[in-house]
Amino acid sequence: PLSPRSPDTMPMPSLSTVCKVMCLPTAGAAMQMLAIGVGLLAADADQMQMVTFWSTLAGVTIPTKLFFGFIAVGKLIGTAALWGYLPKVWRLGSLTPMACAAWMHAQDVPLGSAAMAPFPAVLAAAVLYTIYADPEDGMKKKKKA
């Protein structure tokens, strides 16, 4: 007989779970951006290219802390919703930074990052899939003892 911990008896993760795991690095990036936003870290040269790009596009100078704080909040809200801690509709908060990142990298900002453009688009597709595939809407239910 197979032991309870045998790989043959372990269930395969759902595609939705795989999509969520793929999106986890955005939470790490969000934490770094949050640290810049609150002044604990300084933005490096590549990150400053991002601020300059969006400031030029907007026609106003966007303060570095505000820029990174805004992106961080969207990423963190999206990640929390992705794992069921907020209603599913809040997952849309992570789509804006992903869509903007895909477009910015397609413009080769920061310099040399054009090859990265498809990655945020793939992550955005993964988030959209989880919105469709996850059966529960709303916050995670507390487990009954």
Side-chain angles (χ1 to χ4, degrees), residues 79-94:
T79 301
L82 193 62
W83 287 94
Y85 294 103
L86 294 170
K88 284 198 306 186
V89 70
W90 286 67
R91 294 178 194 185
L92 297 174
S94 63

Side-chain angles (χ1 to χ4, degrees), residues 14 16 20 80-91 127-144:
S14 69
S16 180
K20 291 173 186 178
L82 193 62
W83 287 94
Y85 294 103
L86 294 170
K88 284 198 306 186
V89 70
W90 286 67
R91 294 178 194 185
V127 169
L128 287 171
Y129 175 79
T130 68
I131 292 172
Y132 167 77
D134 285 353
E136 287 187 34
D137 191 16
M139 297 176 51
K140 282 189 173 183
K141 295 181 179 174
K142 293 182 180 179
K143 295 190 179 208
K144 295 178 182 176

Side-chain angles (χ1 to χ4, degrees), residues 1-11:
L2 298 173
S3 72
R5 295 202 174 255
S6 168
D8 295 333
T9 61
M10 295 178 70

Side-chain angles (χ1 to χ4, degrees), residues 36-116:
I36 294 170
V38 298
L40 295 175
L41 291 177
D44 65 24
D46 283 348
Q47 291 167 324
M48 289 307 299
Q49 287 181 45
M50 295 164 39
V51 178
T52 301
F53 174 80
W54 290 106
S55 292
T56 301
L57 191 66
V60 296
T61 301
I62 302 170
T64 302
K65 289 180 180 180
L66 178 64
F67 177 82
F68 285 106
F70 176 77
I71 295 171
V73 168
K75 288 176 176 271
L76 291 172
I77 286 172
T79 301
L82 193 62
W83 287 94
Y85 294 103
L86 294 170
K88 284 198 306 186
V89 70
W90 286 67
R91 294 178 194 185
L92 297 174
S94 63
L95 294 179
T96 301
M98 289 176 183
C100 291
W103 188 71
M104 179 186 68
H105 290 309
Q107 309 307 309
D108 204 27
V109 175
L111 190 62
S113 71
M116 291 182 59

